[in-house]
mmCIF file of all heavy atoms in Angstrom:
data_model
loop_
_atom_site.group_PDB
_atom_site.id
_atom_site.type_symbol
_atom_site.label_atom_id
_atom_site.label_comp_id
_atom_site.label_asym_id
_atom_site.label_seq_id
_atom_site.Cartn_x
_atom_site.Cartn_y
_atom_site.Cartn_z
ATOM 1 N N VAL A 538 123.690 112.227 85.513
ATOM 2 C CA VAL A 538 124.076 112.271 86.913
ATOM 3 C C VAL A 538 124.261 113.714 87.341
ATOM 4 O O VAL A 538 124.906 114.498 86.703
ATOM 5 C CB VAL A 538 125.416 111.526 87.117
ATOM 6 C CG1 VAL A 538 125.846 111.584 88.561
ATOM 7 C CG2 VAL A 538 125.308 110.094 86.650
ATOM 8 N N LYS A 587 122.332 98.395 94.399
ATOM 9 C CA LYS A 587 121.364 99.206 95.146
ATOM 10 C C LYS A 587 119.952 98.950 94.604
ATOM 11 O O LYS A 587 119.768 98.561 93.444
ATOM 12 C CB LYS A 587 121.641 100.716 95.003
ATOM 13 C CG LYS A 587 122.933 101.158 95.654
ATOM 14 C CD LYS A 587 122.759 101.194 97.136
ATOM 15 C CE LYS A 587 124.017 101.733 97.781
ATOM 16 N NZ LYS A 587 123.972 101.701 99.213
ATOM 17 N N GLY A 606 104.327 109.527 100.001
ATOM 18 C CA GLY A 606 102.989 109.395 99.436
ATOM 19 C C GLY A 606 102.024 110.368 100.082
ATOM 20 O O GLY A 606 102.299 110.938 101.131
ATOM 21 N N SER A 613 110.417 115.312 108.302
ATOM 22 C CA SER A 613 111.620 115.964 107.817
ATOM 23 C C SER A 613 112.765 114.974 107.831
ATOM 24 O O SER A 613 112.882 114.159 108.750
ATOM 25 C CB SER A 613 111.970 117.151 108.709
ATOM 26 O OG SER A 613 113.264 117.645 108.353
#
Side-chain angles (χ1 to χ4, degrees):
V538 179
K587 293 286 184 184
S613 171

